[in-house]
Amino acid sequence: MTALRERLAVPGRADLPFDFTRPESATPLPLVVYVHGGGWITGDLTMFAEEAVWAAGNGLAAACVSYRLAPLHTFPAAVADIQAFVRHARTDADRLGVDRGRIIVVGNSAGGYLAAMAGLCATDFGTGGPAERADAVVSLSGISDIRDPEMTAEPIAMSFVEQFLGGPYAALPESYTQASPVTHVGPGAPPFLVVHGDDDEIVPVQQSRHLVERLREAGASVDYHELPGEGHAYTLPAWLGIREMVLEFVRSR
């Protein structure tokens, strides 16, 4: 097993640390990129550490990545950071021993949102050029559309959204539109695995239903699981089931 911490140097930004692990293998492995949640304002790359070890134990390469947090760094900073990592992983695939055509971004909550943006946005928010998009996406309880504050989230989540965007919807409608994953759905969207609890008290399940509907309209491959009785923080049995869903999804890419 190889495990290391490196720093991704991004021009004009502070270096972003990431943890990387992979089993010994002579062939390039699919790379699972784990993006933590925390409402864009808290959390760090260690939140998925156990999942990365589990993934590596099941024959996958895994990276736990970091991104700049709000309110100090507002949209599109966090999106640009995840895009930068996908670009780095593809460029440095030979050294890392990963398959540059099988980069799957996985995230929960705010991380699910960032994973969706990494798969859908054609423009790199950091460079202004074409984005190196993820080859597949796993969104767990992610926000997909913040254009309508009435349906976006419960009040606690709306406070996170406003910090992430740098102001209320009324003041920044164009930014809220640009920051909504559903507005980036189009032909060529990558395969998605979407999971959401139907009793989510922070991000309404309608957010994932809406994303799935838009993806299917665009002809994308979507595997959707709506978990009865699950809230925003999954129970242990549900999480163990999600692990297996992710593993099956990644292996099928």
Side-chain angles (χ1 to χ4, degrees):
M1 187 83 69
T2 298
L4 53 86
R5 172 166 290 188
E6 294 191 354
R7 302 188 74 84
L8 174 60
V10 184
R13 291 175 252 172
D15 289 355
L16 299 169
F18 67 92
D19 289 339
F20 176 81
T21 185
R22 74 187 295 278
E24 297 302 323
S25 172
T27 59
L29 299 173
L31 173 63
V32 182
V33 181
Y34 288 106
V35 186
H36 69 82
W40 304 286
I41 63 173
T42 188
D44 61 45
L45 78 174
T46 65
M47 294 173 71
F48 269 120
E50 291 186 11
E51 298 307 307
V53 171
W54 183 84
N58 281 276
L60 307 174
C64 295
V65 300
S66 56
Y67 54 90
R68 290 170 291 172
L69 299 175
L72 182 61
H73 301 286
T74 56
F75 174 82
V79 178
D81 292 343
I82 303 306
Q83 290 178 319
F85 183 81
V86 173
R87 183 172 66 250
H88 169 73
R90 195 159 281 144
T91 300
D92 209 20
D94 290 342
R95 183 183 68 85
L96 294 171
V98 303
D99 185 340
R100 58 173 45 85
R102 299 174 72 188
I103 299 175
I104 298 93
V105 182
V106 178
N108 70 305
S109 193
Y113 161 90
L114 291 169
M117 292 291 276
L120 295 172
C121 294
T123 300
D124 188 309
F125 285 103
T127 67
E132 289 282 352
R133 297 198 288 181
D135 298 298
V137 171
V138 178
S139 174
L140 310 174
S141 305
I143 288 178
S144 68
D145 192 347
I146 55 177
R147 294 173 298 171
D148 182 358
E150 293 300 319
M151 64 124 4
T152 296
E154 299 298 333
I156 185 173
M158 271 310 303
S159 70
F160 298 154
V161 171
E162 291 185 355
Q163 291 182 74
F164 177 55
L165 268 294
Y169 175 77
L172 300 165
E174 292 184 6
S175 292
Y176 274 67
T177 296
Q178 190 179 39
S180 294
V182 294
T183 67
H184 298 279
V185 175
F192 268 70
L193 167 61
V194 180
V195 181
H196 212 122
D198 69 0
D199 198 27
D200 193 320
E201 71 283 8
I202 294 179
V203 179
V205 68
Q206 286 82 359
Q207 285 285 311
S208 284
R209 291 174 182 169
H210 184 35
L211 175 63
V212 168
E213 179 182 15
R214 289 287 295 112
L215 287 166
R216 288 176 173 163
E217 288 173 352
S221 171
V222 185
D223 187 5
Y224 180 49
H225 297 266
E226 192 168 298
L227 305 185
E230 291 291 331
H232 197 64
Y234 296 107
T235 61
L236 180 58
W239 185 257
L240 294 179
I242 290 170
R243 266 186 171 180
E244 296 300 327
M245 292 179 201
V246 173
L247 182 61
E248 180 180 355
F249 178 75
V250 172
R251 285 177 171 171
S252 70
R253 296 304 104 205

